[in-house]
Amino acid sequence: FTSGGSEANILGMYLLRKVTGKKYVIAPKTAHFSFVKAENLGIIKLKFAEVDERLRVDPDSVESLIDNSTAGIIGVAVNTDAGTIDPIEELNELAHAYDLYVYVDAALGGLLLPFMKVLGREIPKFDFSLERVAAIGVDPHKFGLVPPPAGMFLFRKNFSDNIAFDAPYYLGNRQYTIVSTRPAWPPVAFWAVIKALGRRGFVRLTEKCLRMTSYARKRIEEEGFEVPIEPETIIVNIKVDNPRKVAMELKRKYRISVGISKKLSSLRLVIMPHVNEKAIDRLLEALNKLLDKR
Amino acid sequence: FTSGGSEANILGMYLLRKVTGKKYVIAPKTAHFSFVKAENLGIIKLKFAEVDERLRVDPDSVESLIDNSTAGIIGVAVNTDAGTIDPIEELNELAHAYDLYVYVDAALGGLLLPFMKVLGREIPKFDFSLERVAAIGVDPHKFGLVPPPAGMFLFRKNFSDNIAFDAPYYLGNRQYTIVSTRPAWPPVAFWAVIKALGRRGFVRLTEKCLRMTSYARKRIEEEGFEVPIEPETIIVNIKVDNPRKVAMELKRKYRISVGISKKLSSLRLVIMPHVNEKAIDRLLEALNKLLDKR
């Protein structure tokens, strides 16, 4: 267990460096800012690969960046800006061909995509069934319904000696995380959620989120706003000029919090299980008032 | 706010490197293992200075390690093993003389030492009143009575541009921590504790911890065990053979958790506000049974 996706992503970078002894990691241009944190901290160096019009990484661009200083490739299973999924299977093939490893940032998608698959959506593989996937980050404090801090850093067991930290004054004298003292309740809470919801409960939640995503998309367009990228999972964007300013005014005047995407010049809605029609309608009403007045 | 001391210490190392552009940091041999985490991660490199018989760093040894690759010096205000305090004032003087900065790990002491001073104990300076102290880590989840995760990373404001991380999709688009999403309640809880206890409440708690420390020391010796280092703050050690094994048996047979010190070959009691006479007596009874039987 980690504090969340950032800690997991940074540990993933640490794993790629330690296992290969190399320093360069190839990341999609759309990768989460925590990978830049890992670079700033000095853990790895990043080379950024191009993405397609749906912000999915382009495997040809990734391949063109591979050289003998490459430690691995980052794939994102549900990216932060557009909610699309990198072609992890193709990254896995590249990793196989060049003897590299893949780290998958599934903070957002790890507890969503498997249930979308059950619902009949076509979901590409992104997990340990791909042999070059060395580690995956998944956040139970997103679709696992656990309050933060609740992240997971999953890694293949054969790497464990490489990435353990000594913790001499604890009885379990090894750690696999950056944070040392941490609350004990997040794994317990996650276990309780799993027991309470079961697979069926997670599928139902996922269905609700997808339904709300469709609803949001429909309503946004009804109100005359542009959705810059057709939603593939549970992120819907609303194109606006100066999204940071709009988001700040939404917060100040209407106490509504939305994210933003600089890349898409948009407000960024992440449709989590608590989002309902009313919340979406309220946002659009506020947005209309705000933009009319300007 | 951070997740705790480890995140703060790692950020402290990041600050020393970023502000100076240099990679080597001088740490007491007794420094917390989180500094080794920072080294493993590749953030800095450590040179270890010798410590005296009370496990306080030796300023002469620190000085002998300074060269033009030195980014800074770590001082520990209440070290993990013995509960003693590094001579931070002397480290500050060295830093001044060689144009370096000091990072103070006050995870344990930050919310204890100021109140010990009020109680008339002689406490050396360890805070921003020393001009070369660039940053300090303090854990409200230790003597601040807040549940984990609750750490603080305090740094001089003029360094803030150097050590900010970009967080593009948040409205407040800068972060000063490794962890990104984090719970909002720890600072609120800490504020509530401060309001509820006030300075007088903290002084009273500190007094209780010191009284319990004296009680523990007295009782340990009454039972014929050796206390390898006279307690200076709130850590009491009990010399035993094979402390890890003893601690594990205490846990397994009596459900009593104690830390250990490899350096002192001892069980390590940290006298927090919840520790009372009964707990200490119970531990010693269990320990007597355990060691008689072997």
Side-chain angles (χ1 to χ4, degrees):
Chain A
F1 254 74
T2 66
S3 296
S6 290
E7 192 184 1
N9 289 346
I10 291 170
L11 291 166
M13 297 304 93
Y14 180 57
L15 182 148
L16 292 181
R17 195 195 80 210
K18 285 285 280 191
V19 168
T20 65
K22 294 173 180 177
K23 196 107 193 201
Y24 279 92
V25 174
I26 301 170
K29 270 194 170 168
T30 47
H32 189 257
F33 65 76
S34 48
F35 295 107
V36 181
K37 280 189 180 178
E39 183 176 44
N40 288 349
L41 290 168
I43 296 169
I44 42 111
K45 293 188 177 184
L46 293 173
K47 289 184 182 172
F48 286 105
E50 297 300 325
V51 294
D52 67 14
E53 72 294 344
R54 294 183 60 72
L55 305 191
R56 292 169 305 200
V57 75
D58 172 11
D60 290 340
S61 172
V62 171
E63 187 167 13
S64 74
L65 294 170
I66 295 173
D67 62 23
N68 56 23
S69 68
T70 307
I73 306 171
I74 295 168
V76 186
V78 177
N79 78 49
T80 312
D81 284 76
T84 51
I85 305 162
D86 282 336
I88 316 276
E89 286 190 62
E90 297 176 44
L91 300 182
N92 181 65
E93 274 165 37
L94 283 176
H96 188 76
Y98 292 93
D99 197 20
L100 302 171
Y101 292 101
V102 177
Y103 171 75
V104 179
D105 174 3
L108 202 52
L111 286 165
L112 181 73
L113 300 180
F115 307 112
M116 285 181 65
K117 202 168 174 181
V118 175
L119 288 166
R121 302 277 186 125
E122 246 182 60
I123 301 296
K125 279 187 195 170
F126 69 98
D127 58 11
F128 290 116
S129 65
L130 302 172
E131 59 177 354
R132 287 281 155 171
V133 170
I136 306 179
V138 177
D139 272 4
H141 66 211
K142 297 193 170 87
F143 288 88
L145 300 188
V146 178
M152 294 192 296
F153 176 59
L154 310 164
F155 55 92
R156 289 193 191 271
K157 204 174 171 187
N158 53 321
F159 295 132
S160 64
D161 283 345
N162 277 298
I163 58 165
F165 298 100
D166 282 338
Y169 65 86
Y170 286 112
L171 289 188
N173 57 350
R174 288 180 124 192
Q175 297 183 339
Y176 297 92
T177 52
I178 294 172
V179 169
S180 302
T181 299
R182 58 176 70 248
W185 60 259
V188 178
F190 186 43
W191 182 87
V193 169
I194 291 171
K195 286 288 167 189
L197 288 184
R199 181 185 159 109
R200 233 176 45 186
F202 273 108
V203 170
R204 213 155 35 211
L205 271 187
T206 302
E207 196 176 18
K208 189 206 159 189
C209 292
L210 294 173
R211 199 168 62 239
M212 282 307 115
T213 305
S214 301
Y215 179 80
R217 183 187 166 284
K218 193 190 72 175
R219 290 284 297 116
I220 291 165
E221 293 188 336
E222 279 173 9
E223 297 292 331
F225 295 105
E226 187 192 338
V227 174
I229 287 187
E230 176 75 24
E232 190 169 317
T233 55
I234 42 68
I235 291 180
V236 191
N237 283 277
I238 309 175
K239 194 134 199 140
V240 293
D241 294 335
N242 202 342
R244 185 175 298 277
K245 197 180 160 202
V246 175
M248 280 169 75
E249 289 184 8
L250 275 175
K251 192 165 190 178
R252 192 172 57 81
K253 290 194 188 156
Y254 300 96
R255 306 174 68 97
I256 296 175
S257 280
V258 295
I260 54 176
S261 167
K262 272 193 207 170
K263 287 184 190 77
L264 300 171
S265 178
S266 64
L267 303 178
R268 196 179 135 267
L269 315 185
V270 184
I271 310 292
M272 303 283 280
H274 64 280
V275 175
N276 57 20
E277 285 95 343
K278 219 172 122 185
I280 293 164
D281 291 344
R282 202 177 133 243
L283 163 67
L284 286 167
E285 199 186 326
L287 198 56
N288 267 325
K289 276 192 209 157
L290 201 64
L291 297 182
D292 275 355
K293 252 191 268 169
R294 292 164 99 202
Chain B
F1 255 73
T2 66
S3 296
S6 289
E7 192 183 3
N9 289 346
I10 291 170
L11 290 166
M13 297 302 95
Y14 179 57
L15 182 148
L16 292 181
R17 195 195 79 210
K18 284 284 280 190
V19 169
T20 64
K22 293 173 180 177
K23 197 107 193 200
Y24 280 91
V25 174
I26 301 169
K29 270 194 171 168
T30 46
H32 190 258
F33 63 78
S34 48
F35 295 107
V36 181
K37 281 190 179 179
E39 182 176 45
N40 287 349
L41 289 168
I43 297 168
I44 43 109
K45 293 189 177 183
L46 294 172
K47 289 184 182 173
F48 286 105
E50 296 300 326
V51 294
D52 68 12
E53 73 293 345
R54 294 182 59 73
L55 305 191
R56 292 170 305 200
V57 74
D58 172 9
D60 291 338
S61 172
V62 170
E63 187 168 13
S64 74
L65 293 171
I66 295 173
D67 61 26
N68 56 22
S69 68
T70 306
I73 306 170
I74 296 167
V76 187
V78 176
N79 80 49
T80 313
D81 285 75
T84 51
I85 304 161
D86 282 337
I88 316 277
E89 287 191 61
E90 297 176 45
L91 300 182
N92 180 65
E93 274 166 38
L94 283 175
H96 188 76
Y98 291 93
D99 197 19
L100 301 172
Y101 291 100
V102 177
Y103 171 75
V104 179
D105 175 3
L108 202 53
L111 287 164
L112 181 72
L113 299 180
F115 308 112
M116 285 180 65
K117 202 168 173 181
V118 175
L119 288 166
R121 302 278 187 125
E122 246 183 61
I123 300 296
K125 279 188 195 170
F126 69 98
D127 58 11
F128 291 116
S129 65
L130 302 172
E131 58 176 357
R132 288 281 153 173
V133 170
I136 306 179
V138 178
D139 272 3
H141 66 211
K142 295 192 171 87
F143 287 89
L145 299 187
V146 178
M152 293 192 296
F153 176 59
L154 310 164
F155 55 93
R156 289 194 191 269
K157 205 176 171 185
N158 54 320
F159 295 132
S160 63
D161 284 344
N162 277 298
I163 58 165
F165 298 101
D166 282 338
Y169 65 88
Y170 287 112
L171 290 188
N173 57 350
R174 288 179 123 191
Q175 297 183 340
Y176 297 92
T177 52
I178 293 172
V179 169
S180 302
T181 299
R182 58 176 71 249
W185 60 258
V188 178
F190 186 43
W191 182 86
V193 168
I194 291 171
K195 286 289 167 187
L197 287 185
R199 182 185 157 109
R200 231 174 49 184
F202 272 109
V203 169
R204 214 156 34 212
L205 271 187
T206 303
E207 196 176 19
K208 188 205 160 190
C209 291
L210 294 173
R211 199 170 61 239
M212 282 308 116
T213 305
S214 301
Y215 180 81
R217 183 187 166 284
K218 192 191 71 176
R219 291 283 297 115
I220 290 164
E221 293 189 337
E222 279 174 9
E223 296 294 332
F225 296 105
E226 186 192 340
V227 173
I229 287 188
E230 176 76 23
E232 189 169 318
T233 55
I234 42 68
I235 291 180
V236 191
N237 284 277
I238 309 174
K239 194 133 201 143
V240 293
D241 293 335
N242 202 344
R244 185 174 297 279
K245 197 179 159 203
V246 175
M248 281 168 74
E249 288 183 10
L250 276 175
K251 190 165 191 178
R252 192 172 59 80
K253 291 196 187 152
Y254 300 97
R255 307 174 67 95
I256 295 175
S257 281
V258 294
I260 54 175
S261 168
K262 272 193 206 173
K263 287 184 191 77
L264 300 170
S265 179
S266 64
L267 303 178
R268 196 182 138 266
L269 314 185
V270 184
I271 310 294
M272 303 284 278
H274 64 281
V275 174
N276 57 21
E277 286 94 343
K278 220 173 122 183
I280 293 164
D281 291 345
R282 202 176 134 244
L283 164 68
L284 286 167
E285 199 187 325
L287 198 58
N288 267 325
K289 276 192 208 156
L290 201 64
L291 297 182
D292 275 356
K293 253 193 266 166
R294 291 163 99 203

